[in-house]
Amino acid sequence: MTALPLEGGVAPETAPDALAGFTVGVTATRRREEFGALLERRGARVVSAPAIRLVPLAEDTDLLAATRLALEAPLDDVVVTTGVGFRGWMAAAEGWGLSADLSRHLSAARLLTRGPKARGAVRAAGLNDHWTPATESCEEVKQYLLAQDLSGRRIAVQQHGEPLDDFVAALREAGAEVIEIPVYRWLPYRDVSPLRRLISQTISGSVDAVAFTSAPAVHAMLGMARAEGLEDALLAAFGGPVVAACVGPVTAGPLTARGVPTLQPDRSRLGALARALARHLPEHGVTRLLAGDHHLEIRGHAVVVDGELRPLPPAPMAVLKRLADKPGHVVSRADLRTVLPGSIARDSAEHAVEMAITRLRRALGPSGIVETVVKRGYRLACEYEAGM
C-alpha cells in the first residue's frame, strides 16, 4: 500500500502545540532523545521503547577478514548504505593500520551512496561519490548496477545492520564478485519490556502513532509481537486507529510488504518525520463536536474544551470516545461497559461505568456536556442528526 497522504507538497510549519493530547511511541535507539524532544516540543506525550541496539564490529574477525579480502585487488564499485557504517569501517581500518590502503582502494573505485548521510560520510573522508539514487533505496542501487555489465567486476557492499541477501545474490548472478562488509549488526535491545508494553499499548489503542527510524526496528517489533502471538493484532492496529510513521520508504518496507499503510515525510529526516506527524494527527485523529454549547476536540489522551487542553485517564477517555461515535444519541451502560479498559466483574460493571462518567464530567469542567437519560444511559448534548 502507498504511504498515507500528506496535505500538499511541502506543508507549512505546524503549530507548537499541534501534537498536544496525542501519544507517540518512539522505537529509535540512536538519537531517541533528540527525536523525542522534537515531538514533545509540539505537545506530544512520548513513550520511549528502544527496539534494537547497534553493535559495532571494530574488533570482529569477520569485518577484518572482509576488509583484507577487499584489499587483495582493485575494487570497481563500493556500495555505501549508511553514513555511520562507512565511518565505522574507516575507523576500524585505521585501528588495524589499514586506513591508507583502504582509502587508496576506495579512491580508485566508484562509490555508490544510498542516501545523503552516506554521501556526506564519503565526502567527509575526502573521497568522491559517484552516484546517489533519488529514492535513497538499495533497490534502486541494485537496478542501477544490474543495468550495466557486471561480469568480472569486484563490488564491495557495506551492509547496514542485516544481510542484504537478495541484493548480493542478484549482483553475483550477474557475474560480479561481491565482498560483503559487515560493519555493524542490529540486536534486540537489552531491556525488551518497554517494547513489549508498546506493543500492548498499540493493540489497545493507547498510543496514536508509533514512529520508526529504521527497518530493523520494524522487524524487531513485529518479531516480538509474533513471539507473543500478537502479530496479527499489531498489524490490524497499524491498519486501523494507530499510525505507523516511518522516516522513509526503506524503513517502511517491512510494513508495506504486509499491506500496512504508513505515514512518511517528504524527506527522510527526523525533523521532517516530526512535522509529518504534527500535520497528520490533528487532521485525521481529532473529533470536533459542539456539546452543551461547548466546543470539544477529542484527541488521543485528552480533550480540548473551549480551547483548554484537559488530559483524561483511560476509562473516561474510552467512554467519551464511545459517546462521540454517536453524538446526540443515547448510549447504554451495557455498551459503555464494553469499552472500559481491563477486565470488570459483571456485578461491578454498572458502578464502573458510573465512576467513569463522574470522572469524565469532572475532567471536562463545564456542566451540561454529558447528559444522563434516566434508565437508558448517557448522551453528549449535541444536536441530534438523523442517520447517525
Side-chain angles (χ1 to χ4, degrees):
M1 296 182 68
T2 57
L4 295 173
L6 294 176
E7 301 300 324
V10 179
E13 286 296 319
T14 51
D17 59 350
L19 290 176
F22 292 107
T23 302
V24 181
V26 173
T27 60
T29 302
R30 294 178 58 249
R31 302 176 67 188
R32 68 176 180 273
E33 291 85 2
E34 174 189 349
F35 185 48
L38 288 174
L39 297 171
E40 288 173 344
R41 281 202 296 269
R42 290 168 169 82
R45 182 167 67 188
V46 173
V47 176
S48 181
I52 52 176
R53 57 191 171 99
L54 185 94
V55 180
L57 299 182
E59 305 301 326
D60 191 89
T61 56
D62 289 344
L63 176 59
L64 177 57
T67 303
R68 284 175 171 164
L69 178 60
L71 298 178
E72 286 181 358
L75 293 168
D76 297 296
D77 302 285
V78 178
V79 177
V80 183
T81 57
T82 64
V84 65
F86 184 78
R87 289 191 295 271
W89 188 20
M90 297 297 289
E94 184 175 11
W96 296 325
L98 299 175
S99 179
D101 200 7
L102 179 58
S103 294
R104 186 165 54 253
H105 276 70
L106 295 177
S107 297
R110 297 191 310 175
L111 302 185
L112 311 178
T113 54
R114 182 174 64 90
K117 292 181 182 179
R119 182 175 61 217
V122 165
R123 293 178 179 179
L127 300 167
N128 296 319
D129 54 287
H130 176 74
W131 178 79
T132 303
T135 60
E136 303 183 24
S137 71
C138 286
E139 178 62 26
E140 189 173 353
V141 176
K142 181 179 74 174
Q143 295 304 326
Y144 175 85
L145 287 168
L146 292 178
Q148 307 165 41
D149 182 8
L150 299 184
S151 300
R153 293 186 73 84
R154 296 188 85 233
I155 304 176
V157 177
Q158 175 235 312
Q159 298 173 356
H160 57 89
E162 55 187 358
L164 298 171
D165 294 333
D166 293 341
F167 186 100
V168 170
L171 299 187
R172 285 174 175 161
E173 187 175 345
E177 177 190 351
V178 181
I179 302 102
E180 300 176 70
I181 309 296
V183 180
Y184 55 82
R185 65 178 180 269
W186 299 106
L187 293 177
Y189 200 70
R190 291 183 178 87
D191 182 5
V192 299
S193 55
L195 183 60
R196 184 176 286 115
R197 284 195 298 270
L198 180 57
I199 292 171
S200 297
Q201 291 171 311
T202 303
I203 292 171
S204 68
S206 300
V207 297
D208 302 289
V210 176
F212 297 99
T213 57
S214 71
V218 179
H219 283 301
M221 189 173 192
L222 293 177
M224 178 171 289
R226 188 181 311 118
E228 302 281 337
L230 297 173
E231 185 178 21
D232 289 344
L234 180 63
L235 293 173
F238 282 140
V242 181
V243 175
C246 299
V247 74
V250 175
T251 298
L255 291 172
T256 54
R258 290 166 169 81
V260 175
T262 60
L263 175 70
Q264 299 175 33
D266 297 327
R267 301 175 66 245
S268 298
R269 300 290 182 274
L270 293 183
L273 181 58
R275 289 192 295 272
L277 281 165
R279 292 193 300 268
H280 182 85
L281 288 178
E283 179 69 23
H284 300 276
V286 174
T287 299
R288 296 176 175 85
L289 298 168
L290 182 65
D293 295 326
H294 297 282
H295 293 276
L296 306 184
E297 285 189 6
I298 303 169
R299 43 168 65 207
H301 62 268
V303 58
V304 179
V305 182
D306 297 330
E308 182 180 350
L309 184 72
R310 297 175 178 268
L312 291 178
M317 176 55 77
V319 166
L320 177 59
K321 288 182 176 180
R322 185 68 188 97
L323 293 173
D325 285 342
K326 292 187 175 182
H329 289 248
V330 178
V331 181
S332 69
R333 290 180 177 84
D335 191 342
L336 292 174
R337 184 186 66 210
T338 64
V339 302
L340 293 179
S343 58
I344 302 172
R346 181 176 295 274
D347 57 357
S348 60
E350 186 165 332
H351 177 68
V353 171
E354 290 175 354
M355 287 300 299
I357 290 290
T358 299
R359 296 173 69 192
L360 173 60
R361 284 171 167 158
R362 186 182 302 125
L364 291 175
S367 61
I369 295 176
V370 179
E371 297 179 335
T372 300
V373 182
V374 179
K375 295 184 179 181
R376 293 182 59 197
Y378 304 92
R379 66 184 289 271
L380 286 180
C382 302
E383 189 73 22
Y384 178 86
E385 296 183 29
M388 289 289 294

